[in-house]
Amino acid sequence: MTKEKKVQSTTINSNCYPLIRSLNFIRPISQFIFFLFLSLPFQSLPSSSSSSSSDRKFKDPPPLPILPIPSAFQLRWQLDDMAIFLHFGTNTFTDSEWGSGRADPSVFNPTQLDAAQWVRVAKDSGFKRLVLTAKHHDGFCLWPTEYTDYSVRSSPWRNGSGDIVGELAQAARDAGIGLGIYLSPWDRHEPCYGETLDYNEFYIGQMTELLTKYGDIREVFLDGAKGENEKDMEYFFDSWFSLIHQLQPGAVIFTDAGPDVRWIGDEAGIAGSTCWSLFNRSYVTIGGYDTEYLIRGDPVGHDWVPAECDVSIRPGWFWHPSEVPKSASLISAEDIQVLKEFNELKKSIFSLNLAANALLTASSTRGRLQDSRFDPYNVLKEGIYTYWAPEENQYEWVLYLNLTKVVSFNVLRVQEPIHMGQRVMEFHLEILNANDEWKKVINGTTVGYQRLLRFPTVKSQHLRFVIDESRADPLISNLGIYMDEFSIFSNIVYNNTRRHTHLNGSQYLRHIPFNHSQVATM
């Protein structure tokens, strides 16, 4: 008996495709592929309208990026500038820094909690991202996880039905603030901690909950912190990283060694005077610190791993009733007030670029034509995507600024277009003094996303910004001078790598590099 092959008739409607009358095709149900090839007529233009390519004046292309360069999500992270790191949990109610993991969940009952207020304070203070300790070392979870009962589900807060991660995620979304999460690898409560396979599965389960239930996550913050004499534990970091990037492709991952953002090597908010975003991840292990390498980065590094500075607004990371917050430059009683002061101080210094109306010239400019893409005046525009580019194969890279009047200033701000790679290795600023002599004011090494240098107040109308050494033709996206009338310098401390002062218990860099985003805690 002969079997019949089942087929399906497909009709292309000529109303949809007017070039085709009506075509019927017979195809097997399992597969149908249709290609339509059209022959397009070609008619050459009259010779009189054509022109020789040699007569045309084409623009020069932009310079080649110099590797490595940041990914799209690393650029987004960098442009956020600052984030607030929120430490909250059972430690808040037990006056602890590193909880034991044995605190009864009943101690956690923040009856007046308002996540929208956290977001409001962050936004009003100029921060663009919030990172929350969804689980700290004590193992208590601020969301109703399905993998342990040691969470808000077992607390009296909202009768066990609350979800702090969820409330913060919604508030951040409503306000247009980015959200990050910290999920401590070290867990002092979980019984399977120390059992390598079991705990890694447990951890990935919790990470999956956080990355699939709360919308867009901008940053996942991890560390290798663990107390002495604790259980040995091997973390499957590579598996974790792959999962995070799969579930949240736009999130950066912070650890000591990247893969996307690295620790600066201290918790004082201080970066080295040289700070490359270039890095070799293979040189550093998570939890095994090479502090000097973390601080400086690597001018011949193969990976783009910018540094993030974390510093607490208080002496510790969690709130304690006996502590008062560090001051921005004044004495205040509450964290919110200090954040307001910080924001006001920052605005008072950087709201006015004293070079905004300067007349600029450059030692050279890229391009055979007057090409605004590489014009020196681009350095007076905000943002990193416009820049000054010198002509290729030059031996001098200088920007000349005529401020049109004598101006007092003590802060220099410089930015590179990091999407084109980090290039500058050494630079300095000069002013023309009253004797018509060029005098060096300040010098620096790396620039990166942003570099701020502070120095004794000087006065001049004419400035000269000189790049002394660069990995390739240097590119400058922003140049500004400012007046900081608030900072106080005293008790200057010198060592081989840093120069900073102490003020009200806080440390301030004499020369402040910002090749990184800053993180404050609350």
Side-chain angles (χ1 to χ4, degrees):
M1 180 170 130
T2 305
K3 292 184 180 179
E4 294 184 359
K5 191 172 185 180
K6 192 172 183 180
V7 296
Q8 176 175 305
S9 175
T10 301
T11 300
I12 297 181
N13 193 321
S14 61
N15 293 329
C16 299
Y17 300 91
L19 294 180
I20 306 173
R21 299 286 184 182
S22 180
L23 302 176
N24 289 328
F25 293 88
I26 304 298
R27 69 174 176 91
I29 282 180
S30 60
Q31 185 179 16
F32 177 73
I33 302 174
F34 173 61
F35 293 96
L36 177 64
F37 294 92
L38 297 178
S39 296
L40 300 176
F42 172 77
Q43 182 177 1
S44 60
L45 295 173
S47 58
S48 60
S49 65
S50 63
S51 61
S52 169
S53 60
S54 61
D55 296 333
R56 298 176 185 172
K57 294 183 178 180
F58 296 109
K59 290 184 176 180
D60 281 10
L64 281 174
I66 179 170
L67 300 179
I69 58 175
S71 66
F73 54 89
Q74 285 175 315
L75 277 173
R76 182 174 72 166
W77 168 87
Q78 195 87 69
L79 293 171
D80 280 349
D81 280 323
M82 300 186 303
I84 284 183
F85 199 173
L86 295 164
H87 279 61
F88 191 58
T90 55
N91 293 353
T92 308
F93 301 91
T94 60
D95 200 16
S96 304
E97 275 294 307
W98 280 7
S100 65
R102 296 187 295 271
D104 194 301
S106 64
V107 304
F108 187 82
N109 191 20
T111 55
Q112 303 300 313
L113 185 141
D114 181 4
Q117 184 242 14
W118 298 354
V119 172
R120 214 163 36 244
V121 169
K123 190 168 186 177
D124 291 347
S125 302
F127 294 85
K128 297 179 182 177
R129 190 172 67 258
L130 287 164
V131 181
L132 174 68
T133 54
K135 182 185 78 172
H136 204 252
H137 309 324
D138 62 318
F140 186 79
C141 300
L142 299 185
W143 80 101
T145 175
E146 298 289 342
Y147 294 96
T148 178
D149 59 0
Y150 201 53
S151 76
V152 288
R153 194 192 300 275
S154 298
S155 76
W157 178 63
R158 308 271 164 89
N159 297 316
S161 62
D163 184 346
I164 289 176
V165 178
E167 291 189 20
L168 182 61
Q170 184 61 55
R173 204 158 37 242
D174 292 344
I177 292 286
L179 178 65
I181 57 104
Y182 170 90
L183 185 66
S184 172
W186 180 30
D187 191 323
R188 305 186 77 177
H189 176 83
E190 177 52 40
C192 74
Y193 186 86
E195 301 293 332
T196 298
L197 181 59
D198 290 347
Y199 182 73
N200 275 278
E201 290 178 343
F202 170 85
Y203 187 89
I204 281 181
Q206 290 197 322
M207 181 66 77
T208 300
E209 288 180 326
L210 290 169
L211 300 185
T212 57
K213 294 184 176 182
Y214 300 107
D216 183 44
I217 301 295
R218 292 284 189 90
E219 181 171 1
V220 177
F221 196 105
L222 309 176
D223 60 25
K226 188 170 72 171
E228 295 181 1
N229 303 317
E230 292 289 334
K231 298 175 184 177
D232 290 333
M233 182 71 225
E234 180 186 356
Y235 303 132
F236 294 169
F237 282 117
D238 287 341
S239 297
W240 299 1
F241 297 162
S242 296
L243 177 78
I244 293 166
H245 281 153
Q246 179 189 85
L247 299 178
Q248 290 285 343
V252 297
I253 302 172
F254 169 99
T255 75
D256 309 340
D260 306 316
V261 180
R262 76 180 192 266
W263 184 42
I264 195 57
D266 62 55
E267 293 182 343
I270 298 175
S273 58
T274 296
C275 189
W276 290 98
S277 291
L278 282 61
F279 200 69
N280 275 322
R281 289 179 52 207
S282 59
Y283 289 4
V284 180
T285 58
I286 300 172
Y289 308 140
D290 181 347
T291 305
E292 188 61 29
Y293 191 70
L294 292 172
I295 291 170
R296 295 179 64 87
D298 192 335
V300 294
H302 300 297
D303 305 307
W304 183 274
V305 187
E308 184 167 67
C309 287
D310 53 337
V311 58
S312 176
I313 201 171
R314 289 172 171 265
W317 290 99
F318 281 87
W319 180 85
H320 301 279
S322 60
E323 294 177 352
V324 295
K326 298 173 185 176
S327 172
S329 67
L330 309 171
I331 298 175
S332 63
E334 299 295 333
D335 301 67
I336 294 174
Q337 181 61 30
V338 171
L339 287 173
K340 287 181 178 178
E341 291 170 6
F342 170 76
N343 189 46
E344 290 167 3
L345 186 148
K346 185 162 64 75
K347 284 182 176 179
S348 68
I349 297 172
F350 296 106
S351 60
L352 176 62
N353 181 0
L354 298 172
N357 297 315
L359 305 175
L360 270 79
T361 56
S363 53
S364 67
T365 299
R366 184 182 181 89
R368 289 168 292 180
L369 306 173
Q370 295 298 320
D371 195 335
S372 62
R373 294 174 302 160
F374 312 123
D375 192 273
Y377 280 92
N378 286 339
V379 304
L380 300 181
K381 299 176 181 178
E382 289 296 320
I384 64 170
Y385 293 107
T386 55
Y387 53 86
W388 164 67
E391 190 57 83
E392 294 177 299
N393 302 318
Q394 300 298 304
Y395 298 98
E396 185 180 50
W397 303 307
V398 185
L399 285 167
Y400 301 90
L401 290 83
N402 179 353
L403 305 178
T404 69
K405 63 180 180 180
V406 175
V407 171
S408 298
F409 61 96
N410 59 9
V411 174
L412 171 68
R413 180 192 186 206
V414 191
Q415 290 186 281
E416 287 184 87
I418 56 172
H419 59 291
M420 304 292 286
Q422 188 174 358
R423 298 164 179 251
V424 176
M425 301 176 74
E426 288 185 20
F427 66 91
H428 70 270
L429 179 70
E430 299 176 354
I431 61 170
L432 195 66
N433 64 18
N435 298 321
D436 287 335
E437 297 172 336
W438 287 106
K439 176 185 176 183
K440 184 184 291 188
V441 174
I442 194 71
N443 60 277
T445 53
T446 51
V447 175
Y449 170 66
Q450 185 169 225
R451 181 74 183 264
L452 299 177
L453 292 173
R454 191 168 50 191
F455 41 84
T457 301
V458 295
K459 293 182 179 180
S460 184
Q461 177 179 333
H462 298 278
L463 282 62
R464 192 159 69 178
F465 179 77
V466 182
I467 299 164
D468 302 297
E469 189 173 356
S470 184
R471 295 174 64 228
D473 290 333
L475 308 174
I476 301 298
S477 57
N478 187 267
L479 189 67
I481 56 171
Y482 304 88
M483 188 64 196
D484 176 2
E485 298 178 345
F486 303 93
S487 300
I488 303 170
F489 295 98
S490 61
N491 302 321
I492 297 177
V493 180
Y494 297 91
N495 61 30
N496 292 333
T497 59
R498 300 177 190 176
R499 182 180 178 185
H500 56 272
T501 65
H502 296 265
L503 175 63
N504 295 337
S506 298
Q507 293 183 323
Y508 291 80
L509 280 180
R510 173 69 167 167
H511 301 154
I512 306 177
F514 283 84
N515 303 0
H516 48 269
S517 286
Q518 287 190 321
V519 178
T521 69
M522 183 175 170

